[in-house]
Amino acid sequence: MGDFFRGRRLRRTAALRELVRENVVCAADLIMPYFVVETDEPAFRKEIGAMPGQFQLSLQELEKQVEAAVAKGLRAVILFGIPKVKDYKGSEAYNKDGIVQQAVRLLKKRWPALVVVTDVCLCEYTDHGHCGLVRQGDTSGEVHNDPTLSLLTKAAVSHAEAGADIVAPSDMMDGRVQAIRAGLDANGFSHIPVMSYAVKYASSFYGPFREAAESTPQFGDRKTYQMDPANSREAMREAAADVDEDADFLIVKPAGPYLDIIRQVRDNFDLPVVAYQVSGEYSMIRAAGINGWINEEAVIMESLLGMKRAGCDLIITYFTEELLAKGLVR
């Protein structure tokens, strides 16, 4: 009976399974997103209805939240800002004393070794909710690409001036990596990496995020600049363009439904690949866990392992704090 494969030999005990495990999720792989609000209420802390366990936070509450997470091993964060005032050109995105800029200064002062990534986009700051410039009063849905680039560059430079370690443009405007790289270099920030949302789909999985970031488009949609979910070859063109424009990381967003894209990006490019497990992915797992339909911890870990197996190096996930607090990663 020795004429067939005995794969079970290496699965016999937990120790053996761990010994031959091909992929592991580590604390150093994870980036925790935070939503920071410009508010006159120092203790402002509002749970996001569509994302149980996630919050909009004032600066004071952000500091408390990060303090607890750092104590459990948090290594990196990505910040999204919600300003008091929005306008058609997203002025608060590049205000040197804007909410994200304040948050960066706060976190880097308290924890210099914490890696602070900033989302660079206009959607949280515009009164129309689009990621690029729309002419004032225009409700046609046309987002103007080239005029947006200078505003994104101003935002990225302001984040670097505040102390950000990495800037992450998520807008999907053509040429934004090149523009931001040139702006950073020209202002003495050639050492600051660009983590590009290189492959960002026009996904239905973003719904809860738009509640969290208060960034729902007031007219039209984002399909003229975010990618068609049906396309994969296009993803390679987008990633190649960002590599040519000197991106330092490539993000694929969403993650779970696009594991094939993560694998293609990994196989075609040598840069670090980042999977973004987006709000809808989080909310579905959380809702099923709350209702007792799944073993939530096991499903979280399985979902992240799938991303690592597909080829990503880093994962942006709203489960980061929880995984650290429960000792599920180390």
Side-chain angles (χ1 to χ4, degrees):
M1 296 297 293
D3 57 347
F4 53 83
F5 174 59
R6 295 282 185 179
R8 290 182 59 190
R9 290 175 183 148
L10 300 183
R11 304 178 204 133
R12 187 169 51 85
T13 67
L16 279 171
R17 292 192 295 274
E18 186 172 0
L19 189 67
V20 298
R21 188 160 294 146
E22 297 173 28
N23 292 282
V24 178
V25 179
C26 303
D29 299 333
L30 303 179
I31 301 171
M32 178 67 196
Y34 290 103
F35 300 97
V36 57
V37 181
E38 186 178 21
T39 175
D40 294 326
E41 301 177 43
F44 183 87
R45 179 184 179 87
K46 178 183 177 183
E47 187 168 30
I48 300 159
M51 299 179 69
Q54 302 301 310
F55 299 85
Q56 293 180 337
L57 302 166
S58 64
L59 287 168
Q60 175 180 294
E61 291 299 307
L62 174 69
E63 185 175 12
K64 290 180 182 178
Q65 193 85 11
V66 173
E67 182 173 42
V70 167
K72 297 294 184 180
L74 180 69
R75 314 286 183 86
V77 305
I78 184 167
L79 299 177
F80 300 89
I82 304 167
K84 281 183 182 179
V85 178
K86 303 187 179 194
D87 60 27
Y88 79 98
K89 58 182 179 179
S91 301
E92 287 299 308
Y94 40 90
N95 179 351
K96 294 187 177 184
D97 200 32
I99 185 58
V100 162
Q101 291 83 348
Q102 292 181 58
V104 171
R105 288 193 288 268
L106 170 67
L107 296 182
K108 292 304 295 185
K109 182 177 180 180
R110 280 291 314 272
W111 300 283
L114 181 70
V115 176
V116 176
V117 185
T118 56
D119 179 78
V120 177
C121 196
L122 300 186
C123 64
E124 299 113 284
Y125 305 92
T126 55
D127 53 15
H128 48 75
H130 279 287
C131 301
L133 191 62
V134 173
R135 291 199 174 94
Q136 194 167 15
D138 182 2
T139 59
S140 68
E142 183 179 2
V143 176
H144 298 277
N145 191 97
D146 293 8
T148 300
L149 301 182
S150 63
L151 304 185
L152 296 169
T153 300
K154 287 171 66 176
V157 170
S158 73
H159 294 173
E161 289 173 341
D165 296 291
I166 300 171
V167 296
S170 63
D171 54 284
M172 287 300 284
M173 297 296 114
D174 296 337
R176 87 270 199 215
V177 171
Q178 178 176 290
I180 288 170
R181 180 74 272 156
L184 290 171
D185 292 353
N187 285 276
F189 297 108
S190 59
H191 59 289
I192 297 297
V194 175
M195 179 184 283
S196 175
Y197 287 67
V199 182
K200 183 178 179 179
Y201 285 90
S203 173
S204 298
F205 285 86
Y206 301 150
F209 175 92
R210 290 173 183 172
E211 176 187 334
E214 301 179 8
S215 61
T216 302
Q218 299 304 298
F219 50 83
D221 55 41
R222 294 177 176 151
K223 293 180 181 179
T224 65
Y225 46 101
Q226 295 178 358
M227 282 182 51
D228 185 338
N231 294 351
S232 59
R233 293 192 301 272
E234 182 185 7
M236 298 307 103
R237 296 197 295 272
E238 290 286 351
D242 285 359
V243 171
D244 288 344
E245 292 176 22
D246 209 12
D248 299 282
F249 301 80
L250 301 174
I251 298 177
V252 176
K253 180 183 181 183
Y258 297 90
L259 297 180
D260 61 318
I261 305 301
I262 293 172
R263 170 46 58 188
Q264 290 183 57
V265 172
R266 170 74 294 140
D267 288 345
N268 282 278
F269 306 100
D270 291 332
L271 296 181
V273 177
V274 185
Y276 196 143
Q277 186 179 49
V278 301
S279 59
E281 298 175 76
Y282 169 89
S283 295
M284 289 192 300
I285 294 173
R286 176 107 301 166
I290 289 170
N291 281 283
W293 298 333
I294 58 172
N295 178 334
E296 186 175 356
E297 290 182 5
V299 169
I300 293 168
M301 290 305 301
E302 189 172 338
S303 71
L304 301 182
L305 280 168
M307 296 167 204
K308 290 298 294 288
R309 193 178 63 249
C312 76
D313 301 287
L314 302 171
I315 303 171
I316 302 170
T317 174
Y318 300 94
F319 291 115
T320 297
E321 282 189 351
E322 183 175 338
L323 294 169
L324 293 168
K326 293 181 177 179
L328 296 174
V329 295
R330 57 185 186 273

